[in-house]
């Protein structure tokens, strides 16, 4: 679809959505998501951040669009307004992330201790910290990281979308990593 046609369609859907048409609003969000996802992925890739951060940015942008959709000037194109919100959410995410460098664990596999060293205490620590997660994150982390099921299977089992499972997994693992970092300090 040409950019001009896309802009016209988004504008009409937003006008209908602001007029109270729930189906048009749902359709608009479905159409906006791939464009926002591509924008977020390009932004995090340029910043050297993990692609998993992109989905959080998409969700935060969609939430902001929902909360601020009445502020859009109906005489103006929708894309500049939309991507300004997305740009601000990207910047916010990168600021929260800070200046971390992410490295592949494969680079350090030979220097890591074997799994036998203190594995009982690690298992009990993981279980204890897993119980401290919010229920939704705990279920997703348990399904994927502990039981080893796929994203698709976890989404089906937990009645969630794949995107929601990825977000919950990312947040749950980040929370666990923070807990383990604080234990090590």
């Amino acid at each position: 679809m040409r950019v001009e046609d896309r802009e016209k369609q988004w504008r009409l859907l937003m006008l209908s959505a602001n007029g109270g048409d729930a189906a048009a609003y749902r359709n608009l969000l479905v159409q906006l998501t791939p464009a926002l996802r591509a924008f977020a992925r390009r932004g995090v890739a340029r910043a050297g951040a993990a692609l998993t951060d992109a989905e959080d940015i998409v969700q935060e942008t969609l939430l902001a669009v929902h909360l601020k959709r009445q502020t859009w000037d109906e005489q103006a194109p929708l894309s500049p307004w939309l991507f300004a919100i997305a740009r601000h959410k990207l910047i916010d995410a990168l600021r929260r992330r800070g200046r971390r460098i992410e490295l592949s664990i494969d680079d350090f596999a030979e220097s890591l201790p074997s799994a036998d060293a203190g594995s009982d205490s690690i298992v009990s620590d993981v279980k204890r910290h897993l119980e401290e997660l919010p229920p939704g994150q705990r279920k997703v982390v348990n399904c994927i990281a502990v039981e080893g099921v796929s994203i698709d299977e976890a989404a089906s089992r937990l009645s969630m979308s794949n995107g929601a499972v990825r977000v919950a997994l990312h947040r749950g693992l980040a929370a666990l990593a923070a807990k383990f970092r604080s234990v090590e300090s």
Side-chain angles (χ1 to χ4, degrees):
M1 179 182 295
R2 291 185 358 203
V3 173
E4 297 84 19
D5 295 337
R6 182 184 77 175
E7 177 64 37
K8 185 184 289 186
Q9 186 172 17
W10 285 0
R11 184 176 183 285
L12 291 174
L13 287 169
M14 184 66 137
L15 286 169
S16 296
N18 281 349
D21 185 346
Y25 186 53
R26 207 171 15 261
N27 190 4
L28 174 67
L29 294 179
V30 167
Q31 289 187 30
L32 294 180
T33 301
L36 291 172
R37 187 171 289 124
F39 174 85
R41 285 182 177 173
R42 280 191 306 271
V44 297
R46 270 183 270 152
L51 282 180
T52 55
D53 294 338
E55 197 60 36
D56 285 342
I57 294 165
V58 171
Q59 296 305 316
E60 289 177 22
T61 303
L62 289 173
L63 179 61
V65 165
H66 176 71
L67 295 173
K68 302 290 185 181
R69 65 186 172 148
Q70 299 301 330
T71 66
W72 170 64
D73 178 5
E74 294 182 353
Q75 304 306 315
L78 182 68
S79 294
W81 177 81
L82 173 72
F83 288 110
I85 293 171
R87 186 176 56 253
H88 289 290
K89 295 302 176 184
L90 172 65
I91 291 167
D92 290 346
L94 294 174
R95 284 182 181 150
R96 278 192 309 269
R97 180 181 173 275
R99 291 194 171 266
R100 290 189 316 235
I101 298 172
E102 299 192 15
L103 304 171
S104 170
I105 195 166
D106 296 334
D107 298 339
F108 304 97
E110 286 113 25
S111 62
L112 294 174
S114 69
D116 297 336
S119 63
D120 290 339
S121 66
I122 292 172
V123 169
S124 66
D125 283 348
V126 169
K127 286 181 180 177
R128 183 171 43 86
H129 289 309
L130 199 57
E131 289 301 318
E132 294 173 7
L133 290 177
Q137 290 176 6
R138 181 175 53 245
K139 289 176 187 172
V140 169
V141 170
N142 191 52
C143 275
I144 295 170
V146 177
E147 296 176 25
V149 303
S150 69
I151 297 279
D152 290 336
E153 189 177 334
S156 175
R157 189 185 293 183
L158 300 172
S159 300
M160 298 171 69
S161 70
N162 286 8
V165 167
R166 284 187 176 91
V167 169
L169 176 65
H170 171 73
R171 290 179 180 165
L173 292 177
L176 285 175
K179 289 176 190 282
F180 276 102
R181 275 194 295 274
S182 68
V183 168
E184 290 175 357
S185 302

